[in-house]
Amino acid sequence: MPTTDRVQPARDAAEAVREFNHRTFPNSPQKPGLTYPSEAYDAIAALKILAQRLPQAIAQIVTALNALGELDHLGSSDGEDPARHVACSEQFLNTAMDCAGGLAQCLDLAHSAVSPLTYSGPDNEL
């Protein structure tokens, strides 16, 4: 059994997004979650990179499930053929990869759209 939890980085990424959501939650229209357009620009860039990396991570899960099936290392707690579950999950994971690619493209366009924005409010932070 490996001593390193291979899934922990994915859990950490999910937790990081949760923490971002908490830190940027708007308190009111006068107190938005981000103070400067540059913060939005940087956040979009980070989320874009995350989305760009998701397809590989998802593909590696598909590869692992298929390999475990080929090695006859899978069972099923519902008595069904494990290959059926793998095929079903692969279908959804392939769709998720496509969605992640689309998400990355949209974030790239949003990143470009935000790039010319500058802050013109008061010098004190909101």
Side-chain angles (χ1 to χ4, degrees):
M1 193 94 169
T3 58
T4 303
D5 183 353
R6 293 182 179 117
V7 179
Q8 191 59 49
R11 289 188 197 103
D12 293 343
E15 180 60 23
V17 172
R18 187 194 68 77
E19 179 66 21
F20 173 80
N21 291 344
H22 282 282
R23 290 184 186 191
T24 60
F25 190 82
N27 294 322
S28 72
Q30 292 75 34
K31 298 278 270 177
L34 300 172
T35 304
Y36 302 106
S38 61
E39 293 175 320
Y41 181 82
D42 291 345
I44 293 167
L47 293 171
K48 175 180 71 170
I49 292 167
L50 176 65
Q52 289 170 334
R53 293 176 179 169
L54 285 174
Q56 179 181 349
I58 295 167
Q60 288 173 193
I61 294 168
V62 170
T63 298
L65 289 172
N66 282 315
L68 289 168
E70 290 172 13
L71 293 168
D72 201 24
H73 290 181
L74 294 177
S76 177
S77 63
D78 64 2
E80 296 286 332
D81 180 7
R84 186 175 82 68
H85 292 292
V86 170
C88 183
S89 66
E90 184 172 2
Q91 180 182 6
F92 289 118
L93 290 169
N94 285 332
T95 300
M97 282 188 280
D98 292 342
C99 290
L103 174 62
Q105 289 174 346
C106 290
L107 288 167
D108 187 46
L109 294 170
H111 191 234
S112 295
V114 168
S115 67
L117 295 178
T118 61
Y119 180 74
S120 64
D123 287 338
N124 58 338
E125 289 200 19
L126 298 173

